[in-house]
Amino acid sequence: MSDIFCSIIAGEVPAFFVYADDVAVGFLDTRPVFKGHVLLVPREHVETLSDLREVGPFFERVQAVTAAVQEGLEADGSFVAMNNTISQSVPHLHVHIVPRNRKDGLRGFFWPRTKYASDEEAESYASRIRKALG
Ligand code: DGP
């Protein structure tokens, strides 16, 4: 399996790199939500979060790069997110690390929000997830 992020990792497609080790590679998104928006990807070709084997080491890099984005860009905070299958335009797991600032104009990010009709409905969703977790 190969994709555009595998080609970036292999050095076949140029990118503005911010991080690289044996676990993860980070580079600027070509269509940033805000300037400094980083994509952090596993070096190994992995498609979705469920496919990721070494979860801890990868998310240690997510944590470190997020801190660096905030510190290096003097951002107030960040938005860290991942599309899994739906809205995932590249079939190589990628975490978006977006610098955020107060009053930066981003409202609600990608999604409209909904409400639970009742506490019972909320509890039914919570219990289905708890059941799936065992
Ligand atoms: P998503 O919508 O979660 O699949 O985000 C994929 C992101 O990948 C999107 O924000 C644009 C970015 N992207 C797509 N192709 C390239 C590329 O060739 N280079 C870089 N640096 N980013 C890319």
Side-chain angles (χ1 to χ4, degrees):
M1 280 294 291
S2 193
D3 57 75
I4 188 74
F5 294 163
C6 285
S7 300
I8 288 173
I9 292 165
E12 296 158 5
V13 169
F16 294 94
F17 291 97
V18 301
Y19 187 87
D21 69 5
D22 55 335
V23 173
V25 177
F27 48 88
L28 296 183
D29 190 305
T30 46
R31 292 174 52 236
V33 175
F34 292 115
K35 292 173 186 174
H37 175 166
V38 168
L39 297 174
L40 194 74
V41 307
R43 183 176 285 279
E44 177 193 14
H45 178 85
V46 170
E47 195 161 327
T48 69
L49 183 58
S50 303
D51 302 322
L52 183 64
R53 288 177 297 174
E54 298 289 328
V55 174
F58 180 70
F59 276 89
E60 283 171 12
R61 273 69 174 179
V62 172
Q63 187 181 49
V65 173
T66 299
V69 164
Q70 292 184 190
E71 186 186 324
L73 303 179
E74 298 179 19
D76 295 331
S78 55
F79 182 79
V80 179
M82 175 194 307
N83 288 311
N84 267 298
T85 309
I86 303 300
S87 297
Q88 182 181 358
S89 62
V90 180
H92 189 133
L93 188 156
H94 48 281
V95 174
H96 295 261
I97 301 171
V98 180
R100 293 292 315 272
N101 285 290
R102 291 179 186 86
K103 299 187 177 167
D104 62 16
L106 201 59
R107 298 238 179 277
F109 207 68
F110 299 129
W111 315 288
R113 302 302 178 101
T114 187
K115 286 182 177 172
Y116 294 103
S118 63
D119 286 353
E120 289 72 28
E121 187 190 34
E123 175 52 29
S124 79
Y125 277 82
S127 79
R128 283 160 63 190
I129 296 166
R130 284 196 303 268
K131 194 171 165 198
L133 282 165

